[in-house]
């Protein structure tokens, strides 16, 4: 069983940047796609971004395209989410997840989840 631990969340002003990290342990995550999802208060969890195991294929939600960048370092079993030009509407708990489905954007295709890290963007 893989364990995922997110870090890097915090409070930032609008226009600022944060980089989230998600470290995997228990087994290598090479060969699996990794995704980021987020859940704002009162909302359902939504897809943010996904990266293939090779790192060559990435997808983003329209709401973050051009501002967020997903990347991974398989040697470190870590996936990152660089978030720039943050907006108050980006405020949410951010979760990383692992999927055996290639670059799926469906929450149901992700079998392992981290505990989440809070990102708060003030206006």
């Amino acid at each position: 069983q893989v364990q995922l631990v997110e870090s890097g969340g915090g409070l930032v002003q609008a226009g600022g940047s944060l980089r989230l990290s998600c470290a995997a342990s228990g087994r290598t995550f090479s060969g699996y796609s990794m995704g980021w999802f987020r859940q704002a208060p009162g909302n359902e969890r939504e897809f943010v971004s996904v990266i293939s195991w090779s790192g060559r294929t990435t997808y983003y939600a329209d709401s973050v395209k051009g501002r967020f960048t997903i990347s991974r370092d398989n040697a470190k079993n870590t996936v990152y989410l660089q978030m720039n030009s943050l907006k108050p509407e980006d405020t949410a708990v951010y979760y990383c997840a692992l999927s055996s489905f290639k670059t799926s954007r469906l929450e149901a295709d992700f079998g392992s989840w981290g505990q989440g890290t809070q990102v708060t963007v003030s206006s």
Side-chain angles (χ1 to χ4, degrees):
Q1 185 74 11
V2 65
Q3 291 80 44
L4 303 174
V5 178
E6 302 96 336
S7 61
L11 173 64
V12 64
Q13 289 188 333
S17 298
L18 284 174
R19 189 175 83 152
L20 305 183
S21 299
C22 174
S25 62
R27 71 175 182 209
T28 179
F29 73 179
S30 180
Y32 295 91
S33 292
M34 295 295 297
W36 287 96
F37 290 76
R38 67 186 181 186
Q39 186 169 21
N43 291 354
E44 294 185 351
R45 189 154 56 184
E46 64 176 5
F47 167 79
V48 175
S49 183
V50 64
I51 187 167
S52 64
W53 73 268
S54 69
R56 287 194 290 265
T57 302
T58 58
Y59 293 107
Y60 297 90
D62 288 343
S63 59
V64 307
K65 202 172 295 183
R67 300 187 297 121
F68 290 11
T69 303
I70 191 171
S71 62
R72 67 191 294 165
D73 185 338
N74 288 342
K76 295 182 179 179
N77 276 5
T78 302
V79 63
Y80 306 96
L81 186 68
Q82 178 66 44
M83 305 186 296
N84 298 329
S85 302
L86 282 161
K87 305 174 181 180
E89 51 264 44
D90 294 318
T91 295
V93 177
Y94 283 71
Y95 300 89
C96 72
L98 178 150
S99 173
S100 58
F101 293 87
K102 184 179 179 182
T103 53
S104 172
R105 285 153 276 189
L106 300 177
E107 184 176 341
D109 288 340
F110 288 78
S112 297
W113 293 81
Q115 82 291 346
T117 185
Q118 176 71 47
V119 171
T120 303
V121 184
S122 63
S123 56

